[in-house]
Amino acid sequence: MEVISTVVGYPYIGEQRQWKKIVESFWKGDLSEVQFHQQMKELRLHNLKRQQELGIDYITVGDFTLYDRMLDLAFMFGIIPERYQSLNNETALTRYYAMARGAKNVVACEMTKWFNTNYHYIVPEFDGKQLKLKENILLEYFLEAKNELNIIAKPTLIGPYTFMDLSKGYDDQTKAIFILQLLPLYAEVIQQLVDAGAEWIQLEEPSLTKSLPDDEVRLVEQIYSKLAESVPSAKIMLQTYFEALTSYERLSNLPVAGIGLDFVHGKKENKEAIRKHGFPNNKVLAIGCINGRDIWSSNLAEVVSEIESVVYLSKAQSVWIESSCSLQHVPITTRNEQKLEPVLLNALSFADEKISEIVHVTHYIKHGKWIKEKAVSESMEIIEALATHPIRNNKRVQEIMQSITANDFSRALPYDQRRLIQQQVLGLPLFPTTTIGSFPQSSEVKKTRAAWRKKQISDTEYEAFIEKETARWIKLQEEIGLDIFVHGEFERTDMVEFFGEKLTGFAFTQNAWVVSYGSRCVKPPIIYGDVEWTSPMTLKEVLFAQKLTDAHVKGMLTGPVTILNWSFVRNDVPREVVANQIAIALRQEILELERSGIAIIQVDEPALREGLPLRKENWSDYLTWAVNAFKLATSSVKNETQIHTHMCYVEFNDFIEPIESLDADVISLETSRSHGELIYSLQQHPYELGIGLGVYDIHSPRVPDVSEMMEILNASLQVIPKERFWINPDCGLKTRQEPETVAALTNMVKAAKLLRHEVLSNNVN
Ligand code: GLN
Ligand code: ZN
């Protein structure tokens, strides 16, 4: 049997985030194009050399990008919307970045989440124009590796089906035209690579892990047979990931030389399919067995036995051993972490460490023995050490978890009765106005925090500053005339990090960056132990604010599911368990707030939708435990206490029911970007609890006037009864400037008053 080690892709950003620095310096004008390309080339070669040193057999090119790989293909194929053609004095590179980020008077292309990851890609916009291959960057990358480092690499590109599936600008009629135009371009790119000496071409087709209707499966078959006809000499590895290959029986028989399957996320189903239908005997099987989505060391012996069972089932004569998906979703190396406790650090595996794992298991599969016997026993000891770490065996947490009963998941009274009680005790006007939580993080706020982090100012000085800012904004809210106040979140930078730093079970890295979109990188916290509340997290700031005013100040927390979905999570227990532990911790905080007299508490869940599985048939499992976690956190309060939640930038159409099942007294939703759509959905499926549809977009400094807001309010009132109707902006205001914030909120309050007046006088008439 032939055995080869490889990865689907390697992170491009460099271990010191060099990539981000190069890109941003170019944007700022600090680098010329020549310098920019030179530095990018150095980084690419550095990444290739690193993989070479780690001993991987087959190195990939084309996993690198100057912004985003979907955009790369769109650009190569000339899918450049008209509005960018007209830009003056643009070079190809600045036009490329204009598509990504917008330019003066030209809006950027849409950006959206890459499957169920936190990476966002640029959505290509097909506009019916004739496509043409403008350049073949894959060929450039291939030749660069060959000429500079003598590497015959495996070029990878997003496959034609997935590319089409994720693009927009076509309908059922024009889809065929789009594909017919696309395929010759793919063929051209592939043929040039073959001519230049590429042995294999990897086509990434994650869209083939969604459940596809029959006619789509047929379309995939047509695409690939056409491609096979046009480039008969190319060896194509059809690479899937994130889930099992759909319609396995048919799609595993596509005319390609190899099939790559995810044996981490789609393990059960992929194995079942192979068992049932066999694996085509002339194809290479790429076994994605090292998790490309988590940061944990693998148990090498277990991985080997998994590979052996797949080999046995498939009877494959030739296999690749690889990551389950591109390693771009994990940080680069654990070597640069100096502050983590050793038990945790040893158990971590980022991209480089994962490559070593691949090399190790490949060696074993090839030779029947380990490179270093000791490495394997060590890998098990490491996993064992973390498993027995006190932080994973917190008796107090486990006892509370065991004592949970069905009652903990529901409020004492149903919403309709709570609403009446709350109305009496809170004394709110019709159409109460409020904000989402954060107020502008001015440069002064940022500077002061930076100084405090660097220990240039003391804790007392920093806290005094936060209090001064909070007090100033309480006064501003009074002047504006809002009904429910917030303290402003000046003490927080990040809504997950803030809580992670105060709860047990979390760890924070120094350099574990992953790209979220473009040059924006995030450093997700690591949840590695039992999560426990030890002391109040938000009480001080909220109570400080509450003492300054007679208005209600909302308590402000990040929800359990959002904390979970925006972290790297331990893999020794189901996610549901971790979500419930966080929920219990938040419940304690909520009860603390309630005891201290806070009557309204908001628990934000902007990432609830993000955790949805790719396959719709798995949605309900996830939603059941995710919704339960929220309810566990929020249900133990008195009937009088009003629970709010907030969500933004999610598609709500098929999501109203889950939101409703959270049983939050009030939800504030971002809507200005898709107001019409949401109103339509609410017409189809009326929402039964308190709800505020954002009346203005917080992403722009523009201040909408009262009449504009009135229009939105009147439209919303068509689908929401007035006694459950709230008024708020789309989202938190931390990225805005103060003057525009005050102006917009002032208009919002004016609009609310006008609406009250209109509605009340109508009632009298
Ligand atoms: N309370 C948070 C804020 O206002 C909510 C942020 C969010 O929705 N992402 O900033
Ligand atoms: Zn929001």
Side-chain angles (χ1 to χ4, degrees):
M1 184 176 67
E2 199 194 9
V3 186
I4 278 176
S5 62
T6 188
V7 290
V8 176
Y10 183 76
Y12 45 85
I13 54 175
E15 53 191 277
Q16 305 295 337
R17 280 185 299 161
Q18 299 92 309
W19 185 87
K20 176 186 173 72
K21 283 162 204 155
I22 303 169
V23 170
E24 290 178 357
S25 308
F26 176 69
W27 290 345
K28 263 193 254 153
D30 294 347
L31 287 181
S32 70
E33 277 199 23
V34 175
Q35 289 167 320
F36 168 85
H37 284 303
Q38 184 55 36
Q39 294 190 12
M40 282 296 188
K41 178 175 173 182
E42 278 164 25
L43 178 58
R44 267 194 308 274
L45 296 178
H46 166 86
N47 291 346
L48 295 178
K49 273 190 271 187
R50 168 60 69 77
Q51 295 176 73
Q52 226 174 6
E53 284 157 20
L54 290 166
I56 201 92
D57 293 327
Y58 206 5
I59 289 177
T60 309
V61 294
D63 47 2
F64 192 91
T65 179
L66 299 179
Y67 192 92
D68 165 63
R69 296 170 59 232
M70 283 292 286
L71 176 61
D72 290 348
L73 284 185
F75 203 76
M76 270 170 63
F77 297 155
I79 306 178
I80 302 173
E82 198 57 45
R83 60 186 187 277
Y84 305 102
Q85 312 277 6
S86 59
L87 290 173
N88 287 328
N89 305 323
E90 294 289 317
T91 64
L93 184 62
T94 51
R95 181 168 296 132
Y96 171 89
Y97 282 132
M99 285 172 70
R101 312 168 62 222
K104 212 168 159 217
N105 302 326
V106 192
V107 294
C109 291
E110 192 186 316
M111 183 167 71
T112 194
K113 275 165 68 65
W114 180 247
F115 297 89
N116 54 358
T117 72
N118 198 16
Y119 176 74
H120 301 70
Y121 67 93
I122 297 285
V123 182
E125 293 170 37
F126 178 61
D127 57 7
K129 272 205 315 287
Q130 182 65 39
L131 307 184
K132 190 168 156 282
L133 185 63
K134 298 207 149 199
E135 57 172 336
N136 184 350
I137 50 164
L138 275 306
L139 183 64
E140 288 166 31
Y141 292 156
F142 178 80
L143 291 174
E144 182 181 81
K146 188 172 166 194
N147 298 337
E148 304 277 340
L149 298 170
N150 245 322
I151 295 173
I152 300 296
K154 162 189 57 161
T156 186
L157 56 163
I158 293 158
Y161 182 74
T162 300
F163 183 76
M164 175 211 71
D165 186 37
L166 302 183
S167 297
K168 63 175 196 182
Y170 61 87
D171 55 24
D172 289 349
Q173 262 88 53
T174 49
K175 188 170 176 176
I177 303 176
F178 186 31
I179 295 172
L180 280 176
Q181 291 214 33
L182 220 44
L183 284 180
L185 305 187
Y186 268 94
E188 210 177 328
V189 169
I190 293 171
Q191 190 60 52
Q192 289 177 2
L193 287 165
V194 172
D195 293 343
E199 285 161 16
W200 282 87
I201 317 290
Q202 173 176 289
L203 294 182
E204 296 169 47
E205 291 284 19
S207 285
L208 298 185
T209 65
K210 302 200 235 175
S211 354
L212 298 180
D214 212 51
D215 48 346
E216 284 296 291
V217 175
R218 200 163 329 116
L219 177 64
V220 177
E221 288 170 336
Q222 285 163 354
I223 288 175
Y224 275 87
S225 65
K226 186 110 185 109
L227 208 54
E229 257 168 48
S230 341
V231 277
S233 54
K235 278 162 100 178
I236 288 174
M237 171 59 73
L238 180 90
Q239 183 64 52
T240 61
Y241 44 77
F242 297 152
E243 268 290 349
L245 173 63
T246 193
S247 307
Y248 175 91
E249 193 181 1
R250 287 168 65 183
L251 296 185
S252 65
N253 283 307
L254 289 176
V256 290
I259 307 264
L261 301 176
D262 184 335
F263 285 99
V264 174
H265 301 97
K267 175 164 125 186
K268 215 173 125 236
E269 222 185 308
N270 273 331
K271 280 175 80 172
E272 204 41 56
I274 295 177
R275 188 174 293 131
K276 201 157 154 208
H277 305 289
F279 186 75
N281 57 20
N282 53 351
K283 287 190 175 47
V284 173
L285 174 60
I287 306 176
C289 54
I290 296 290
N291 195 338
R293 296 289 295 276
D294 79 4
I295 49 160
W296 304 105
S297 298
S298 299
N299 178 333
L300 298 182
E302 246 169 45
V303 176
V304 160
S305 75
E306 192 53 47
I307 296 170
E308 284 173 338
S309 90
V310 171
V311 168
Y312 173 80
L313 278 179
S314 64
K315 304 192 180 64
Q317 284 310 300
S318 182
V319 299
W320 293 3
I321 292 175
E322 62 178 16
S323 53
S324 67
C325 62
S326 169
L327 296 173
Q328 83 168 97
H329 306 292
V330 296
I332 297 184
T333 174
T334 61
R335 276 194 310 270
N336 300 326
E337 300 303 328
Q338 273 94 33
K339 296 196 174 152
L340 297 173
E341 58 169 321
V343 197
L344 170 61
L345 181 59
N346 291 336
L348 294 178
S349 176
F350 298 170
D352 284 0
E353 292 75 30
K354 283 178 187 286
I355 290 186
S356 290
E357 292 177 348
I358 293 169
V359 169
H360 268 83
V361 295
T362 305
H363 185 94
Y364 188 94
I365 297 290
K366 271 188 198 163
H367 306 288
K369 61 172 195 274
W370 296 104
I371 302 175
K372 264 195 302 184
E373 194 68 44
K374 222 169 133 246
V376 181
S377 51
E378 268 170 19
S379 85
M380 294 201 223
E381 279 162 27
I382 281 166
I383 293 168
E384 187 55 25
L386 187 56
T388 52
H389 189 306
I391 204 152
R392 286 199 172 175
N393 299 277
N394 185 328
K395 290 268 153 12
R396 286 180 306 272
V397 172
Q398 282 154 17
E399 265 163 34
I400 304 179
M401 293 288 285
Q402 252 140 39
S403 69
I404 298 173
T405 66
N407 282 343
D408 294 307
F409 294 92
S410 61
R411 301 279 302 257
L413 286 178
Y415 167 73
D416 287 330
Q417 294 176 38
R418 290 189 326 251
R419 186 174 69 79
L420 299 175
I421 298 174
Q422 289 165 14
Q423 203 179 351
Q424 278 199 333
V425 295
L426 295 175
L428 297 173
L430 191 61
F431 314 136
T433 53
T434 189
T435 62
I436 308 302
S438 58
F439 281 128
Q441 297 244 334
S442 61
S443 53
E444 205 195 346
V445 173
K446 287 188 198 142
K447 252 192 275 163
T448 313
R449 181 178 306 114
W452 170 66
R453 287 241 155 105
K454 285 192 209 130
K455 301 214 177 346
Q456 289 159 352
I457 62 167
S458 69
D459 289 358
T460 333
E461 279 171 287
Y462 179 60
E463 278 160 30
F465 172 79
I466 299 286
E467 289 188 348
K468 197 183 85 201
E469 200 61 12
T470 307
R472 210 166 62 73
W473 270 94
I474 289 292
K475 197 143 177 289
L476 281 169
Q477 291 175 86
E478 257 157 14
E479 283 162 18
I480 294 167
L482 287 154
D483 298 309
I484 309 271
F485 290 12
V486 294
H487 74 283
E489 300 182 25
F490 300 107
E491 75 287 8
R492 309 181 187 176
T493 34
D494 180 284
M495 59 188 292
V496 171
E497 191 181 63
F498 177 81
F499 290 94
E501 279 173 348
K502 296 188 157 54
L503 293 164
T504 66
F506 285 74
F508 295 87
T509 62
Q510 291 162 282
N511 289 294
W513 298 98
V514 288
V515 179
S516 169
Y517 64 87
S519 69
R520 181 169 160 77
C521 299
V522 292
K523 212 161 43 114
I526 300 173
I527 305 179
Y528 74 113
D530 291 333
V531 177
E532 186 181 22
W533 180 96
T534 52
S535 58
M537 304 184 279
T538 62
L539 207 56
K540 196 172 93 214
E541 288 84 3
V542 177
L543 287 186
F544 173 81
Q546 184 63 86
K547 287 204 182 84
L548 301 175
T549 176
D550 292 335
H552 291 290
V553 177
K554 268 196 283 195
M556 196 57 65
L557 307 173
T558 304
V561 187
T562 296
I563 292 182
L564 185 85
N565 284 343
W566 286 349
S567 302
F568 284 122
V569 184
R570 59 193 283 192
N571 61 354
D572 62 321
V573 293
R575 287 171 81 78
E576 173 179 0
V577 171
V578 183
N580 281 343
Q581 289 186 359
I582 304 170
I584 293 285
L586 292 171
R587 177 173 80 176
Q588 203 142 346
E589 181 75 12
I590 290 171
L591 293 177
E592 243 4 271
L593 288 164
E594 186 183 59
R595 247 196 305 277
S596 311
I598 299 299
I600 303 179
I601 298 162
Q602 179 171 314
V603 180
D604 293 328
E605 283 290 20
L608 181 69
R609 200 181 203 283
E610 265 181 52
L612 278 178
L614 289 179
R615 300 253 177 109
K616 226 170 177 156
E617 64 257 32
N618 302 330
W619 277 26
S620 80
D621 267 359
Y622 164 78
L623 284 171
T624 305
W625 66 254
V627 166
N628 274 339
F630 180 89
K631 292 173 83 175
L632 180 58
T634 54
S635 293
S636 297
V637 293
K638 296 183 288 193
N639 293 317
E640 289 80 351
T641 302
Q642 191 169 62
I643 296 291
H644 287 216
T645 188
H646 163 72
M647 280 176 214
C648 43
Y649 314 111
V650 299
E651 219 172 282
F652 295 109
N653 310 347
D654 51 1
F655 211 56
I656 293 181
E657 250 168 275
I659 295 178
E660 220 163 35
S661 61
L662 296 174
D663 198 26
D665 297 300
V666 180
I667 183 167
S668 52
L669 289 176
E670 165 272 339
T671 32
S672 66
R673 287 201 309 192
S674 53
H675 206 86
E677 237 172 75
L678 183 58
I679 301 247
Y680 178 77
S681 316
L682 287 171
Q683 244 159 14
Q684 310 301 307
H685 182 129
Y687 186 78
E688 305 291 350
L689 297 88
I691 181 168
L693 307 182
V695 293
Y696 77 92
D697 181 8
I698 55 93
H699 275 99
S700 143
R702 199 176 146 264
V703 177
D705 57 29
V706 178
S707 61
E708 199 176 314
M709 292 189 194
M710 284 301 282
E711 236 169 82
I712 295 182
L713 290 173
N714 277 314
S716 309
L717 258 186
Q718 303 299 310
V719 290
I720 304 168
K722 58 180 186 310
E723 57 281 359
R724 293 196 271 108
F725 188 88
W726 284 67
I727 298 180
N728 49 262
D730 265 1
C731 187
L733 296 159
K734 68 166 166 244
T735 56
R736 295 269 55 86
Q737 303 284 322
E738 183 164 326
E740 76 222 21
T741 304
V742 172
L745 290 176
T746 304
N747 286 353
M748 186 180 94
V749 169
K750 274 190 199 148
K753 288 187 175 149
L754 207 59
L755 192 70
R756 277 173 208 153
H757 183 77
E758 278 179 10
V759 170
L760 292 176
S761 52
N762 272 351
N763 276 358
V764 172
N765 289 343

